[in-house]
Amino acid sequence: MSRTNPSATPSTTLHNTNPLSKQRQDKPAIICKARDSYHHGDLRVALIQAADEMIAQGGIEGFSLRAAAQRAGVSPAAPAHHFGGAKGLLTEVAILAYERAGRYIDGAGHSNDIVADVRAVGLAFIKFAIDYPGHFRLMFRNDLVDRSDPRLSKASKEPGIRLGHAVLAYRSNAVPQPGSFEDSAEMLCGIAALHGLANMVIEEKAMQFFKGATAKNFVNRYLPKVVEHLFPRTETHPSEPERRKDDA
């Protein structure tokens, strides 16, 4: 079986204090400049970058509009002027987070093996949460992001669809049928299991279930086996899912 792994798009270098997280390889696309050298568009991007880095380093708890402005080297009033408030700026960060999650999932590749695929995308989703725990938490906070923003909706759907389809192919050997409650429930339950596991991993609760597991060895030694246990290989999984009759 072959699996393709597209290269991730460079974004920002982020230093994560989570002991489970590997050091990020991405490079900053924009370097903050002195306030008097900003063009209108550059200032907006610099503020988003500053907030993005703050969430990476200190999580939601370490974020404030004033601190983001200070980090970007601009007036304290600039974030509110460009984004309307904290929710507007954090929505931009959440969009970047969903795009990163999508790159992780896309990087898992594709194959003709349903079991291998769902394990790969599930593990990629959890590894994204490990590398970006602050962003992972932000993405699902309705009180901190604007769910009515169509760009956020689009960014969040793309990785969700890939995850959902991989789960459905595994659990039902089917591609989604429009309006099917069964398909929707299968996808929801599978994604919820992965989401809950990701939360337990980044909170360092998952490793407590295994003797000998530590923050350093859990991701490489234990996590892949846990994902395999979540999606075991059985004789009921052919190589390709089939479209079943619409049972909606």
Side-chain angles (χ1 to χ4, degrees):
M1 177 190 74
S2 63
R3 182 176 294 279
T4 59
N5 288 283
S7 300
T9 303
S11 52
T12 55
T13 298
L14 304 176
H15 302 286
N16 201 313
T17 57
N18 190 320
L20 293 172
S21 176
K22 66 183 179 180
Q23 185 174 4
R24 301 298 305 132
Q25 300 296 319
D26 301 332
K27 301 296 183 183
I30 293 174
I31 299 175
C32 294
K33 302 173 289 184
R35 176 173 51 190
D36 59 0
S37 67
Y38 278 123
H39 294 294
H40 181 84
D42 291 340
L43 190 152
R44 177 182 174 85
V45 173
L47 284 167
I48 295 172
Q49 179 188 336
D52 188 51
E53 293 172 348
M54 291 177 68
I55 296 298
Q57 294 175 353
I60 300 167
E61 297 77 11
F63 173 82
S64 71
L65 284 179
R66 180 174 291 275
Q70 183 177 17
R71 188 182 187 100
V74 300
S75 163
H81 174 73
H82 284 272
F83 304 99
K87 179 174 282 191
L89 181 52
L90 288 175
T91 298
E92 299 294 336
V93 176
I95 291 171
L96 293 179
Y98 278 112
E99 291 172 349
R100 286 194 188 101
R103 291 196 293 271
Y104 270 65
I105 293 171
D106 288 343
H110 299 267
S111 76
N112 292 326
D113 187 328
I114 291 172
V115 180
D117 277 352
V118 73
R119 289 174 177 177
V121 298
L123 191 59
F125 176 70
I126 297 171
K127 286 186 174 180
F128 163 76
I130 293 169
D131 288 348
Y132 295 95
H135 291 81
F136 180 77
R137 296 183 179 102
L138 172 66
M139 289 157 63
F140 303 102
R141 288 284 300 270
N142 289 339
D143 58 326
L144 297 179
V145 300
D146 181 8
R147 293 292 172 194
S148 67
D149 190 318
R151 295 173 305 125
L152 180 65
S153 178
K154 181 178 184 295
S156 66
K157 283 180 180 178
E158 292 177 356
I161 288 173
R162 176 77 194 278
L163 274 176
H165 286 196
V167 167
L168 183 62
Y170 172 83
R171 294 176 67 128
S172 298
N173 187 36
V175 293
Q177 295 294 300
S180 169
F181 172 84
E182 181 184 33
D183 288 356
S184 297
E186 292 282 16
M187 289 188 286
L188 171 61
C189 290
I191 293 175
L194 288 168
H195 190 278
L197 179 56
N199 265 315
M200 293 192 71
V201 172
I202 64 178
E203 294 294 339
E204 299 186 30
K205 301 298 184 183
M207 65 184 183
Q208 297 177 13
F209 286 79
F210 305 97
K211 184 178 181 180
T214 66
K216 289 185 177 181
N217 70 14
F218 180 81
V219 173
N220 293 325
R221 182 176 177 184
Y222 293 89
L223 182 58
K225 294 180 180 179
V226 173
V227 174
E228 289 176 8
H229 190 80
L230 181 61
F231 300 108
R233 187 177 293 279
T234 71
E235 296 179 356
T236 62
H237 294 101
S239 60
E240 289 287 351
E242 298 177 355
R243 182 175 294 277
R244 64 168 178 259
K245 293 181 179 179
D246 190 0
D247 53 8

